[in-house]
Structures are given as C-alpha cells and as structure tokens.
Amino acid sequence: MALHIHEACILLLVILGSVTSAAISHEDYPADEGDQTSSNDNLIFDDYRGKGCVDDSGFVYKLGERFFPGHSNCPCVCALDGPVCDQPECPKIHPKCTKVEHNGCCPECKEVKNFCEYHGKNYKILEEFKPSPCEWCRCEPSNEVHCVVADCAVPECVNPVYEPEQCCPVCKNGPNCFAGTTIIPAGIEVKVDECNICHCHNGDWWKPAQCSKRECQGKQTV
C-alpha cells in the first residue's frame, strides 16, 4: 500500500512539472535591451561632432574648412563645437524697397519703388500733374507727392462764376457792385430810379454803391 502511494506522488510531481514548463515560456519575460533586435538597425547615422560639419545638402566638411551651410547663410568655418559663421554688418534695406531677396549672407533689395501713389493713381518720379483745377502737384524723388493750391484773387464783382476746368472764379460782366438790390457796372454813374444816381467805389466793389439824390422827375398834373 505504501508503495502505491509513493508511485502516485512521483506521477503527480511529473505532471505538475510538465504543466509548469508548458505555461511559462521565454516570451513571458522581456529580453534585455542588449538582446533586443530592432528593425531600424540599418538607420544608424554617423556622428560628425568633433570630426567635421554637415551642410543642408548633406555634404561633410573637415575641421577648419570654410563652407556655406545653406544657400542663404553666411560663410562658416567648421570647428570642433560646430560651424562658426560670419556675422557681417549688412547694409540697411531701402525703406521703399518692394522686392527683397535672401539668396546670400545679407538680404538684398532688388526693386525700389520708383513712383508716387496719389488718390489711387501712380505717377512717375518728377512727373507733374493737376488732380483738380486748383491743385498743382509733383512726384518727388522721395516717392512723396507735394502739391500747391492756387491762391485766387478776390473777384471784382458781386456775381462771379466758375468756368469748367478753371480754378478761380471770373467776372464775366466785368467789375460791378450792388446799388440796393440792383447790380450796376463799375466806373460809370447809373440812374437806378427816378431820384437816385449811383456809382461803385473804386476798388471797393464789396461796398454798397454810393448814391446821390437828384430832383425827382414826377409827372406834372394839369
């Protein structure tokens, strides 16, 4: 009886050992970093620090060699700590520059504004123009428009008119003035009614006419 119990214990241990070995596999334990393989092993880049410099196109330069990192960069010298590039004092860009290129170490102006803009229109440098009958303007080399407004003389009449394309008013009927509500020409005496003769003041057209009473010519009754 004791023999059968001993054999049964041995059989049970064998079964437990096979189950344990089947349940635990190598995949249940993470491998060491040194043992892991990666699909990116072929993408290892060379480290040029302390050995050389690389430009934007991938070209390698030796220590002490002068090169341009990119098409718009200043020249550099390859050093142990990386490129040491020139920092020149670039000329200032013209304030009226309309096209700037960055193809070199310093930005370069390729096109300067050579016209003036005034009320939505463009004018050439030194071009003269009249935006209105009373304005005379010119496009200055500074791309600014300078204008002069005509100073009209005071018309010598009380009824001036504005002609098309003319800046200042004109007296179409010559100098005159008011005699009451009547406009009379200057330079002569005018009988404005049966009793009054008037004339304009010389040079003072804005003043009312000077009048003098004469003997009224009334109708005689029989």
Side-chain angles (χ1 to χ4, degrees), residues 14-195:
V14 171
I15 294 173
L16 291 175
S18 62
V19 172
T20 303
S21 62
I24 301 175
S25 64
H26 179 72
E27 296 176 355
D28 294 327
Y29 294 92
D32 295 336
E33 293 182 359
D35 297 335
Q36 290 181 346
T37 58
S38 172
S39 59
N40 294 328
D41 286 345
N42 59 340
L43 297 179
I44 298 176
F45 294 94
D46 293 332
D47 186 0
Y48 291 100
R49 288 176 296 182
K51 303 175 184 178
C53 301
V54 183
D55 65 6
D56 292 350
S57 302
F59 290 99
V60 180
Y61 297 87
K62 299 178 182 179
L63 294 177
E65 194 171 358
R66 192 174 180 85
F67 69 103
F68 289 86
H71 72 282
S72 61
N73 297 104
C74 296
C76 304
V77 175
C78 183
L80 286 172
D81 296 331
V84 178
C85 302
D86 295 343
Q87 297 294 332
E89 185 176 350
C90 297
K92 294 183 179 180
I93 299 295
H94 195 283
K96 299 294 183 179
C97 184
T98 57
K99 184 179 180 182
V100 181
E101 289 188 357
H102 299 272
N103 293 329
C105 182
C106 293
E108 185 178 359
C109 179
K110 289 297 183 180
E111 186 176 332
V112 178
K113 181 180 177 182
N114 58 353
F115 62 90
C116 299
E117 186 175 354
Y118 189 77
H119 291 177
K121 294 183 179 180
N122 295 337
Y123 300 92
K124 297 178 181 179
I125 299 297
L126 300 181
E127 182 179 358
E128 298 178 357
F129 57 96
K130 293 186 68 176
S132 69
C134 292
E135 288 181 289
W136 175 85
C137 302
R138 186 174 72 171
C139 175
E140 301 293 342
S142 60
N143 302 110
E144 297 178 350
V145 175
H146 290 174
C147 297
V148 176
V149 180
D151 186 12
C152 297
V154 179
E156 296 182 349
C157 60
V158 295
N159 56 349
V161 295
Y162 287 87
E163 295 288 350
E165 301 302 323
Q166 288 189 6
C167 174
C168 299
V170 295
C171 297
K172 297 189 69 174
N173 298 320
N176 54 37
C177 66
F178 275 114
T181 58
T182 303
I183 297 176
I184 63 174
I188 60 174
E189 292 186 340
V190 178
K191 186 177 181 181
V192 295
D193 55 31
E194 295 295 331
C195 302

Side-chain angles (χ1 to χ4, degrees), residues 4-14:
H4 291 291
I5 295 175
H6 180 69
E7 292 177 353
C9 291
I10 294 175
L11 180 60
L12 181 59
L13 292 174
V14 171

